[in-house]
């Protein structure tokens, strides 16, 4: 199996790589270095049929044109920062806003829109990293983020980490969308999700 191939090109000519982890009949995960994106996850269902259970786009430009963050690794800060303003160590910080007056998922040029470096790659795991300089999207401190994807016999483990040279905020996540019935199977209205949570945080009309 080819573990690394060209998925497409950005408008400036840079190649976007596709990385493939795992081997059938176990899980097989396709990643993109654009956004450290989980692009496809092929699994064998209880009926013995192989299915891709992740949503994805067909080209690099489709990922960049989308506003849904499908499959991307989100940073520097996942979710919303109200008004794009917060206080840190006694100082006011302003970050980029692009969602109803709020900061969302790292700003207008978040980590999901960048080419990550492939640090490690083997048959079952890949580690990708991205550097965010001081002041990037308004956030203080230079930051180096890493994400490790590991395919296991019963699933995929994702480990996120970051190091910074100054006091800052960071909140990384994977933004994968699933349809357990498989690609092209329609809506997930019949899926059942259970969360073992004691509480949840309600949001206002702008998502904060």
């Amino acid at each position: 199996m080819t573990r690394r191939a060209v998925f497409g090109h950005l408008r400036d000519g840079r190649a976007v790589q596709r990385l493939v982890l795992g081997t059938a009949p176990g899980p097989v995960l396709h990643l993109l270095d654009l956004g450290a994106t989980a692009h496809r996850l092929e699994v064998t269902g209880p009926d013995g049929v192989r299915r891709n259970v992740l949503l994805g786009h067909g080209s690099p430009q489709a990922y960049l044109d989308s506003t849904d963050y499908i499959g991307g690794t989100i940073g520097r800060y996942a979710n919303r920062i109200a008004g794009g303003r917060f206080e840190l160590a006694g100082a006011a910080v302003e970050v980029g806003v692009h969602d109803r007056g709020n900061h969302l998922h790292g700003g207008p040029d978040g980590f999901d829109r960048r080419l990550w470096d492939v640090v490690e790659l083997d048959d079952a795991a890949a580690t990708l990293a991205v550097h965010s300089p001081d002041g990037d999207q308004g956030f203080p401190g230079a930051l180096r983020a890493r994400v490790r994807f590991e395919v296991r016999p019963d699933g995929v483990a994702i480990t996120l980490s970051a190091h910074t040279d100054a006091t800052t905020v960071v909140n990384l996540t994977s933004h994968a969308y699933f349809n357990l019935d498989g690609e092209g199977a329609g809506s997930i209205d019949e899926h059942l999700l259970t969360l073992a949570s004691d509480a949840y945080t309600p949001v206002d009309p702008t998502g904060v």
Side-chain angles (χ1 to χ4, degrees):
M1 177 184 293
T2 301
R3 294 295 178 187
R4 189 191 300 236
V6 174
F7 174 69
H9 292 83
L10 302 178
R11 286 179 174 168
D12 61 9
R14 288 179 296 166
V16 174
Q17 298 181 79
R18 181 182 63 197
L19 314 174
V20 181
L21 310 178
T23 304
V28 174
L29 176 66
H30 294 225
L31 304 172
L32 304 178
D33 62 352
L34 176 62
T37 295
H39 174 62
R40 292 177 61 89
L41 178 59
E42 300 162 2
V43 298
T44 304
D47 56 2
V49 176
R50 295 284 290 178
R51 294 179 175 87
N52 168 38
V53 295
L54 282 185
L55 301 189
H57 294 297
S59 70
Q61 194 58 47
Y63 277 101
L64 294 176
D65 290 342
S66 173
T67 58
D68 295 321
Y69 304 90
I70 290 179
T73 297
I74 304 301
R76 281 190 189 193
Y77 204 90
N79 214 323
R80 292 171 178 83
I81 297 175
R85 299 181 182 88
F86 60 94
E87 186 173 304
L88 181 68
V93 177
E94 292 192 13
V95 293
V97 296
H98 63 300
D99 180 73
R100 294 169 287 181
N102 301 312
H103 175 95
L104 175 64
H105 291 340
D109 185 28
F111 289 177
D112 62 294
R113 303 180 62 81
R114 305 186 187 183
L115 285 180
W116 290 53
D117 298 321
V118 180
V119 178
E120 298 174 344
L121 175 64
D122 60 34
D123 289 351
T127 300
L128 296 90
V130 70
H131 174 71
S132 176
D134 179 37
D136 186 8
Q137 307 298 290
F139 290 99
L143 183 137
R144 180 77 167 171
R146 292 167 67 102
V147 56
R148 175 179 168 82
F149 297 88
E150 181 184 359
V151 174
R152 300 174 177 176
D154 60 349
V156 176
I158 302 175
T159 305
L160 298 152
S161 62
H163 293 84
T164 182
D165 63 2
T167 300
T168 191
V169 296
V170 61
N171 183 34
L172 308 174
T173 194
S174 174
H175 209 275
Y177 287 74
F178 292 85
N179 186 332
L180 301 182
D181 289 330
E183 183 178 8
S187 77
I188 59 168
D189 289 350
E190 299 304 316
H191 285 38
L192 177 64
L193 173 67
T194 301
L195 300 175
S197 304
D198 296 323
Y200 68 93
T201 302
V203 297
D204 68 17
T206 68
V208 173

